Every structure is written in C-alpha cells, then in structure tokens.
Amino acid sequence: MTKQEDQFKKVLSHAKEYGYVFQSSEIYDGLSAVYDYAQNGVELKKNIRDYWWKAMVQMHENIVGIDASILMHPTTWKASGHVDAFNDPLIDNKASKKRYRADVLIEDYCAKIEGKINKEVDKAAKRFGDTFNKEEFLATNGRVVGYQEKINTILARMGASLEKEDLVDVKALIEELEIADPLTGSRNWTDVKQFNLMFGTKLGASAETAMDLYLRPETAQGIFVNFLNVQKTGRMKIPFGIAQTGKAFRNEIVARQFIFRMREFEQMEMQFFVKPGTQKKWYDQWKETRLKWHLSLGMGAENYRFHDHDKLAHYADAAADIEFKFPFGFKELEGIHSRTDFDLKAHEEFSGKKLQYFDHEENKSYTPYVVETSIGLDRMFLAVFSNSLQEEALENGTTRTVLKLPAILAPYKAAIFPLVKKDGLPEVARKIMDDLKWYFNVFYDEKDAVGKRYRRQDAAGTPFCITVDHETLEDNSVTIRHRDTMEQKRVKITELKELIQSEVAVKNWLQRM
Ligand code: ATP
C-alpha cells in the first residue's frame, strides 16, 4: 500500500471511530457512495456551512440567501441543459466488468506524468540545495518540459474531443496511451458512451397522471428561477448575489472515494449577477476572494492550486477549479464559473417570462451575466478532516493521533474534566460546563485517567481541555490544555470564556482573508 493509500485508509477509519461519518444503512451492508454524518460530523459540517454563509452572505451587503426546493418543475432541467447535456463519458472494462469515467482515466494518466515531474523537482532541489530555482528548472529542464508538453497535448485533445462529443476519439486516446484498468491491468475496453447523471422520480398518485421529475443535480437552478423574485422583493441592485446551501443528487458513474464523490451531497453556491461585459472582472475577483476564504482556515497555501478548464461547460465563457491536495492527490474542491447569460436567457425562453433587470443608471433593461462560486460541502469536509488528521511523534518516544481541525470548525470547542469522580470536583466541572454551554459547544467527560481523556479529545479534534482538580476548590483556578501545543496553563474559571473565545471567534478567522 502506498503512503497515500495508507493515509486515506486512516482517514476513513478515524471518521468512523470518532463519530464523524458512517456508511449509510450500514446494517444492510451500506448503499454505495451514500453516507451519514454522525454526532461529531454533523457539527463539523454545520460549522463549515456557517463559516461559508458568514463570509458570503452576512459579510456582503449585496448578497442574500434563499432555500429553494429539491424538487423543481421538470422544464427547469430542459432549460438548463441538464436533460440533454448533463452526461459523463462512461467506459467499461470487459475483463474486469468495472466501470470508469473515460475523462478521469485520462486525467489520472496525466497525474502520473505530473508525479514524474515532481520527482525530478525533488531530485534537483536536493542536488542544488539553496541555489535551486524551481520556476527556472520547470521552464528549462529538458525532461520536465517534455513531460509537461505531453500532459498539455493529451488534455487539449481530450478537451476538444469531449467538446465535439467525439467519443470515438476519446477511446482512441485511451488506447494510444495504453491506459489499463487500474485494478486488473486489462486493456480490453468497451466503446465510450454518454450517461445522464440525473436521478428521476415521480410526482403524483396514479401511474397515468404522474409527472416525471428529477432530483436537482445542482442548487444553482433554484437561484436562477427565483432571480426576479429576489431582485424585486429585496430591491437588489446589480451587482448582487444570491447564495444557497442544500442537497444535490447525481447518479455518479464511479464513486469510490468516500465523501469526495457521493450520489447525494450538499452544495454551497452563490450566483453573482453582473452587468454584461463586466463578467471577467468579477470572475477574477471571485477567484481571488474564494481562495482567500480557503486560506483563512490556515490549512497551508501549498495545498491549493487553481486549475483553468480546458473543456468549458455549455454555459460558460471561463471556468476554474480551486483544487486541494486530498490524500489521493490534487482534486477539485470548488468551481468558479463565468456562466454568461445562458441560464436566465434559457429560462426566459422556456417559461415565456421576462427575467431581465432594469438598470436605472443606464436607463435600460438587460439580462445580467452570472459568475458562480460552487463548492461541495462534503468535499470541504473531507479536505478539512484529512488535512487535520496527524500522527505526531512525542518527545517521550510515543506517538499521538491528533485531529488539528481549525478551532472555528471543531465540533466541540472545549472538554471539561473533573480530575477524579469525587470530592465535589464533578459538581464544579458541571458548573463550568453549564456556564460555558451558553457560548460554545462543550463536552463533559469523567471516565478514565486524565491522560487518556486528553488523548480522546486530541483524536476527536477538541481544541481545549479544562481540568478541575483539588486546587480549584481553594482558588477557583483550573488547568487548560491546548490541543496543538499540549501546553498547560493555570487560569481562573472566570477567564475561560474569553480565552476560548479568542481562539474560536469567527472575526479573528475571517479577518485573515
Ligand atoms: P467533478 O468534475 O469532480 O465531477 P463537477 O465539475 O461536476 O465535479 P460542479 O458541477 O462544478 O462539479 O459542482 C460544484 C462542486 O460540487 C464541486 O466543486 C464539488 O465540490 C461538488 N461536487 C460535485 N459533485 C459532487 C459529488 N458527486 N459528491 C460530492 N461533491 C460534489
């Protein structure tokens, strides 16, 4: 097993063991690519959602939120293009009977070449030491330049073929590159086919009158169809945004990466309506703003990168992903898309209703352009969780498992322990708990030795542990231990609230943006 696979396995088992994520319907052996959030997971997920909402809605006067339904009028999906074009290119391996996304097989092939580039860089960095200039090396080293050109050629050809729906060429590319089934090594492939990812369902009691519906594959369309309602009732002036978080459903072809690719997942999307012609400026600005939001969480700038799309969706004039370094490599975490006026125009056409904005300054009506930011909440959860899970070697030769979640996102902000279960210590600890729970989610634990309780909270991701001991009875002081530094300090009970607050105040985190 590679180091990456090993780390990913640890993430999965830790998520289960510490009550973050369970397989859905586990007692029936689970449902593939569907997961449940457990007692700690639901808190982490909520905190990520709140952090996004705070940054996107509360901090922007010109962005408001909505909560549209999962079920929408079926014509929505005709207009949006999802009925005709929400397809993934599918390919089956005849020998192994495994199903793959053809584009992902090719992208993974390129990722391997990229791995070779990284190896060359590491080798050269060692050889040249302090004088090593990475940019120069990437631009001039013959072997590396060759690798990069190969990647560019492959991706450009794939992008062009997918754009033209030339699936024969996508298969030809897989064959030319001699891509084999990663599980069995077989190169016996079927043709590439398109597969629509929407889940269908029915509305209505009788079979004859029932209406065919879809579970929404993205939250964005709920925003577009409400564009004019919100603009009018909220007296919104362009540029303005509408934000939404909620479930989306996709019948994904390949779903083998835990909560990275699920069939039921949650999106956090914001559609920003702008004057036609200004979309490039806003697209660049939202790319920058969204990256800053990620960086504010302190998970390491080196773990993020932009990826500009080679293949644009049918609605876009520019698109980029913010990619994150997951345990299985750099992958899309968030998309920023310049969607033009495609959606509003399409809904106008299909509904026969005008969806235009009257610009008082210009004294004319127009269909706004849209810049979208779209992030998967579950993917963000996986990014945070996998990045935070660390094995740390301690000075005394032992190791500890610690989940270094950004404190603002941690399910519990503090755990409170009486040193022993007697002498009135539990009562004092309970009293502290009762005071603090008005402000923070806090946890009480009196079982096992304190060292063991510390370790449990380290692994669960709780930033602070507060221990009540016999001295507390005399001078109202307690020990507060910090998860990351393991440093212990003696403080007054009355100081606790402020101390925790300083570390979990949303203002302190978002101000780093
Ligand atoms: P991918 O290329 O990985 O399939 P996408 O480009 O289809 O993703 P978008 O349609 O742009 O994704 O959706 C926006 C965001 O929603 C993605 O950046 C991702 O974070 C999230 N997302 C999309 N599909 C899934 C899924 N099946 N499971 C979890 N999150 C998802």
Side-chain angles (χ1 to χ4, degrees):
M1 197 184 298
T2 65
K3 208 170 136 207
Q4 278 192 344
E5 284 165 348
D6 190 40
Q7 165 69 5
F8 192 40
K9 243 181 118 181
K10 281 191 185 136
V11 167
L12 261 77
S13 61
H14 199 88
K16 176 164 185 201
E17 190 181 340
Y18 285 88
Y20 277 85
V21 184
F22 300 148
Q23 174 83 59
S24 156
S25 346
E26 197 190 63
I27 58 167
Y28 295 106
D29 298 330
L31 185 62
S32 150
V34 185
Y35 292 90
D36 295 340
Y37 287 90
Q39 65 278 11
N40 283 322
V42 72
E43 297 287 341
L44 173 57
K45 194 175 169 201
K46 176 171 87 48
N47 292 343
I48 296 172
R49 192 192 295 111
D50 288 350
Y51 192 64
W52 182 87
W53 193 266
K54 185 79 86 177
M56 297 297 280
V57 181
Q58 194 168 329
M59 299 309 292
H60 287 104
E61 278 174 45
N62 60 349
I63 300 180
V64 292
I66 62 164
D67 183 15
S69 292
I70 287 170
L71 299 177
M72 298 182 70
H73 192 285
T75 310
T76 310
W77 308 110
K78 274 301 266 178
S80 68
H82 282 82
V83 171
D84 294 325
F86 194 52
N87 301 318
D88 274 343
L90 161 163
I91 190 165
D92 289 310
N93 188 281
K94 288 187 201 159
S96 70
K97 306 269 179 285
K98 287 274 173 211
R99 177 156 282 190
Y100 294 93
R101 257 174 67 178
D103 55 335
V104 172
L105 284 178
I106 296 169
E107 279 166 10
D108 286 349
Y109 179 89
C110 292
K112 277 200 196 124
I113 308 180
E114 198 172 315
K116 289 185 190 164
I117 296 181
N118 293 338
K119 260 198 197 135
E120 295 288 337
V121 169
D122 289 348
K123 263 201 312 209
K126 256 193 211 136
R127 187 153 27 100
F128 293 113
D130 290 343
T131 58
F132 182 60
N133 179 335
K134 188 173 165 190
E135 269 70 53
E136 195 185 312
F137 180 77
L138 288 176
T140 55
N141 178 279
R143 201 172 296 165
V144 166
V145 171
Y147 285 145
Q148 192 56 53
E149 272 169 10
K150 187 162 180 199
I151 293 177
N152 296 348
T153 314
I154 293 171
L155 291 181
R157 174 161 158 205
M158 178 180 87
S161 301
L162 287 173
E163 186 96 44
K164 289 189 299 225
E165 298 235 358
D166 183 355
L167 301 181
V168 173
D169 189 57
V170 176
K171 176 163 183 200
L173 185 57
I174 289 176
E175 283 175 337
E176 280 167 40
L177 298 173
E178 302 188 343
I179 295 176
D181 177 354
L183 291 176
T184 61
S186 156
R187 296 210 295 256
N188 190 1
W189 296 109
T190 62
D191 288 341
V192 179
K193 285 192 297 237
Q194 292 289 23
F195 174 79
N196 193 289
L197 300 182
M198 282 198 292
F199 278 107
T201 185
K202 288 197 183 294
L203 179 147
S206 79
E208 303 88 66
T209 57
M211 189 182 199
D212 285 314
L213 296 188
Y214 295 107
L215 301 183
R216 67 179 177 197
E218 63 176 25
T219 55
Q221 299 305 324
I223 293 179
F224 292 126
V225 299
N226 277 300
F227 157 73
L228 215 51
N229 282 340
V230 173
Q231 191 273 320
K232 290 231 156 88
T233 57
R235 299 153 60 88
M236 308 302 290
K237 284 209 174 54
I238 273 184
F240 74 90
I242 305 177
Q244 166 163 235
T245 70
K247 285 278 171 97
F249 301 81
R250 296 183 187 178
N251 197 1
E252 296 280 2
I253 298 172
V254 186
R256 299 191 191 112
Q257 281 165 325
F258 192 39
I259 56 172
F260 179 81
R261 190 177 299 287
M262 301 154 93
R263 297 205 161 101
E264 171 179 345
F265 59 101
E266 191 165 335
Q267 288 188 312
M268 307 192 286
E269 296 199 302
M270 193 278 298
Q271 312 292 325
F272 201 68
F273 299 90
V274 306
K275 199 156 114 184
T278 63
Q279 69 271 22
K280 174 79 175 79
K281 178 185 100 185
W282 288 109
Y283 169 71
D284 290 340
Q285 197 171 109
W286 278 110
K287 268 173 80 175
E288 192 189 318
T289 307
R290 290 303 304 148
L291 183 64
K292 280 192 186 153
W293 180 84
H294 287 284
L295 296 178
S296 74
L297 288 168
M299 300 202 298
E302 70 284 3
N303 292 320
Y304 300 86
R305 70 180 189 195
F306 279 113
H307 165 74
D308 294 313
H309 282 208
D310 302 300
K311 178 194 177 233
L312 290 176
H314 56 279
Y315 51 75
D317 71 1
D321 299 333
I322 295 177
E323 293 187 336
F324 183 77
K325 196 167 177 200
F326 287 96
F328 36 82
F330 272 102
K331 295 271 177 209
E332 169 175 349
L333 171 59
E334 169 158 8
I336 293 118
H337 310 127
S338 176
R339 293 182 77 124
T340 68
D341 56 0
F342 174 87
D343 302 272
L344 290 179
K345 279 252 168 79
H347 287 304
E348 270 195 330
E349 188 191 321
F350 279 79
S351 68
K353 310 266 160 46
K354 267 215 160 346
L355 291 176
Q356 294 204 341
Y357 171 79
F358 184 75
D359 191 322
H360 285 275
E361 276 164 32
E362 307 239 335
N363 202 25
K364 65 170 193 202
S365 292
Y366 54 76
T367 309
Y369 269 48
V370 173
V371 174
E372 155 185 89
T373 73
S374 173
I375 174 170
L377 175 47
D378 314 87
R379 260 188 214 182
M380 183 63 195
F381 184 111
L382 182 60
V384 171
F385 192 87
S386 59
N387 185 267
S388 303
L389 184 60
Q390 296 172 21
E391 285 294 321
E392 230 174 47
L394 301 179
E395 274 169 20
N396 63 8
T398 61
T399 58
R400 70 163 180 157
T401 302
V402 50
L403 190 63
K404 291 189 170 174
L405 298 172
I408 178 81
L409 303 180
Y412 290 98
K413 305 306 183 197
I416 300 151
F417 311 148
L419 183 66
V420 289
K421 251 191 287 182
K422 54 181 186 183
D423 305 337
L425 302 188
E427 288 74 9
V428 180
R430 285 271 179 213
K431 166 104 192 19
I432 295 174
M433 167 111 179
D434 286 343
D435 285 342
L436 289 180
K437 74 180 173 199
W438 288 96
Y439 310 100
F440 316 106
N441 206 15
V442 283
F443 188 84
Y444 180 83
D445 190 5
E446 57 180 23
K447 204 168 166 293
D448 299 321
V450 157
K452 227 173 169 180
R453 283 181 259 169
Y454 282 154
R455 288 302 150 81
R456 263 203 303 266
Q457 293 306 318
D458 284 348
T462 311
F464 292 107
C465 290
I466 297 161
T467 306
V468 172
D469 54 23
H470 293 93
E471 238 181 283
T472 312
L473 303 178
E474 283 155 31
D475 64 2
N476 283 321
S477 71
V478 290
T479 300
I480 185 162
R481 173 184 178 274
H482 198 278
R483 176 196 66 197
D484 298 345
T485 59
M486 294 196 292
E487 191 196 2
Q488 305 194 10
K489 264 201 317 200
R490 205 69 202 173
V491 301
K492 294 285 180 214
I493 291 173
T494 48
E495 293 172 80
L496 286 172
K497 182 185 153 211
E498 207 144 304
L499 224 155
I500 300 170
Q501 188 64 38
S502 68
E503 197 126 333
V504 304
V506 66
K507 188 173 175 190
N508 296 348
W509 288 85
L510 278 182
Q511 263 178 354
R512 299 204 220 159
M513 269 178 75

